[in-house]
Amino acid sequence: MTISLHSPLDMHIHFREGDMMRLVAPLSAGPFAGGVIMPNLVPPVDNIARLEAYRAELDEAIAGESFEPYMTLFFRNYSEAELAAAKDKILGIKLYPAGVTTNSEDGVRALEEAAPTLSLMEEMGIPLMVHGETDGFVMDRERDFISTYDLLARRHPKLRITMEHITTRDAVEFLDRYPNVFATVTLQHLVITLDDVAGGLLNPHLFCKPIAKRPEDREALLHAALSAHPKLMFGSDSAPHPRNRKESAGCAAGVFTAPLALPRLAMLFEQHDALGNLQAFVSGNAQAIYGVRPPAKTVELEKSPFEVPSSYGDVVPMYAGQTLDWSIRSIA
Ligand code: NCD
Ligand code: ZN
């Protein structure tokens, strides 16, 4: 059995910088035709000079690959002139509430302060991507943030808002409440629950933000993905950390999935008899939502075993050392 995917997109990726970028960026740029590059570097990508330097570094790391990096800026209060200068170089601006995840210390502290820039973005047609968690109890952070999404969507009805890496049934239900609200979902949140992270021996390689939730949350996410809900896009949130930052006290949040995401998604969609919807989930929906036209690339996947490496350099992937039922046969 095989399936051909046309220009698959990963709408949420962390490439980092330097050696880490040179290691991981090609692992996405091979199988994917494009992706949304997150700006949570140290310091964050929050000005044009930094954005251009980051883009140049990335172009060098993926030279020769047919891959369109959709860049993002880290949300802060930007002037109209800054937004005008950035508009053609970015797909959107990513808002992090301060302190909720890796390198988000410079994020937004009070939503009221963000309003002027949000209004400018709305007028100028610049999409907003959001890490939607409060600083409350870890299992409730996303659900508690829904009221903030509600405010944002109502106050800025023309602002395109993407709820990044949703993990709950509440978020899936919220998707249908406003026409200007969209979402990404990761691979791990379609296949694991908190039990896989911490129900037995602790698995640091499955620890990420937002944390995986309850079985009913996974079911709702899975149903939305398998049915290719038109407002839902695949975004791996592939987030590499060196092994010693994961297998340690004070484990960093992030699951590394880029190189195995497409085979594992094919396996998942086949198991649920939904392979026909995979193209929309990994590309068509994102193209329609953002109006992007990625480079042509055909990835042929086949039902034959793929042994996931135990590590890529110093980064341990999800399913390290395990065998998946599907593999990539060719990329053209
Ligand atoms: C991401 C990272 O490592 O940059 N970590 C994660 O657990 N998802 C940040 C993020 O997207 O929250
Ligand atoms: Zn992320």
Side-chain angles (χ1 to χ4, degrees):
M1 198 183 318
T2 64
I3 182 174
S4 289
L5 294 176
H6 303 289
S7 302
L9 296 173
D10 182 345
M11 299 307 282
H12 184 132
I13 328 175
H14 298 273
F15 278 162
R16 319 301 188 199
E17 297 172 87
D19 288 344
M20 182 62 95
M21 176 199 266
R22 284 187 285 277
L23 172 71
V24 300
L27 297 171
S28 287
F32 289 94
V36 178
I37 316 306
M38 289 294 141
N40 61 329
L41 308 181
V42 186
V45 182
D46 70 352
N47 61 79
I48 301 275
R50 178 103 167 99
L51 178 75
E52 287 181 335
Y54 188 41
R55 172 68 196 251
E57 186 188 1
L58 177 54
D59 284 344
E60 204 173 298
I62 60 172
E65 298 286 2
S66 177
F67 178 90
E68 182 63 33
Y70 300 111
M71 307 304 287
T72 59
L73 279 176
F74 192 100
F75 188 94
R76 62 171 171 79
N77 269 320
Y78 291 102
S79 68
E80 187 168 356
E82 284 176 309
L83 293 177
K87 189 174 187 309
D88 293 339
K89 302 178 193 297
I90 58 173
L91 188 70
I93 298 183
K94 174 76 184 285
L95 186 153
Y96 293 86
V100 297
T101 191
T102 310
N103 305 336
S104 63
E105 294 71 23
D106 296 331
V108 172
R109 279 163 212 286
L111 201 62
E112 307 306 323
E113 292 161 19
T117 294
L118 293 174
S119 295
L120 285 171
M121 290 168 63
E122 183 179 16
E123 280 163 34
M124 298 169 78
I126 300 175
L128 176 72
M129 294 121 177
V130 184
H131 184 115
E133 290 196 286
T134 66
D135 58 3
F137 179 64
V138 67
M139 290 293 279
D140 296 337
R141 287 175 190 174
E142 182 174 290
R143 196 185 59 203
D144 292 348
F145 196 86
I146 300 271
S147 57
T148 302
Y149 280 129
D150 197 283
L151 270 181
L152 284 171
R154 272 191 290 124
R155 286 186 186 162
H156 304 283
K158 291 203 290 289
L159 179 65
R160 207 170 274 269
I161 300 166
T162 300
M163 303 188 283
E164 295 295 336
H165 44 50
I166 59 172
T167 61
T168 57
R169 183 167 61 186
D170 304 84
V172 174
E173 286 168 3
F174 187 75
L175 255 188
D176 293 321
R177 201 157 325 150
Y178 296 97
N180 57 328
V181 172
F182 307 90
T184 60
V185 67
T186 72
L187 165 64
Q188 66 265 24
H189 293 113
L190 298 176
V191 296
I192 68 169
T193 68
L194 185 59
D195 259 359
D196 297 282
V197 186
L201 294 179
L202 187 68
N203 187 337
H205 299 294
L206 296 180
F207 172 64
C208 65
K209 302 279 180 77
I211 192 108
K213 304 289 189 314
R214 309 180 64 86
E216 53 269 36
D217 294 308
R218 179 183 57 184
E219 287 320 303
L221 296 162
L222 189 56
H223 179 262
L226 293 172
S227 59
H229 187 301
K231 297 175 90 182
L232 187 63
M233 305 166 267
F234 175 61
S236 70
D237 195 15
S238 187
H241 293 277
R243 185 193 285 271
N244 67 2
R245 293 283 292 116
K246 294 293 288 177
E247 298 177 1
S248 73
C251 163
V255 179
F256 183 62
T257 56
L260 55 109
L262 290 177
R264 184 65 184 89
L265 284 173
M267 187 174 152
L268 181 67
F269 276 60
E270 191 230 345
Q271 281 162 351
H272 292 273
D273 215 4
L275 271 179
N277 285 337
L278 187 53
Q279 177 67 39
F281 179 59
V282 299
S283 189
N285 289 350
Q287 291 191 43
I289 290 166
Y290 284 109
V292 292
R293 290 289 162 265
K297 180 179 274 189
T298 300
V299 180
E300 195 182 3
L301 294 140
E302 67 181 351
K303 193 170 181 182
S304 75
F306 167 42
E307 208 181 298
V308 179
S310 55
S311 70
Y312 291 88
D314 198 21
V315 179
V316 179
M318 190 178 183
Y319 298 114
Q322 297 178 44
T323 303
L324 303 179
D325 291 354
W326 281 71
S327 54
I328 294 177
R329 176 149 100 188
S330 66
I331 301 172

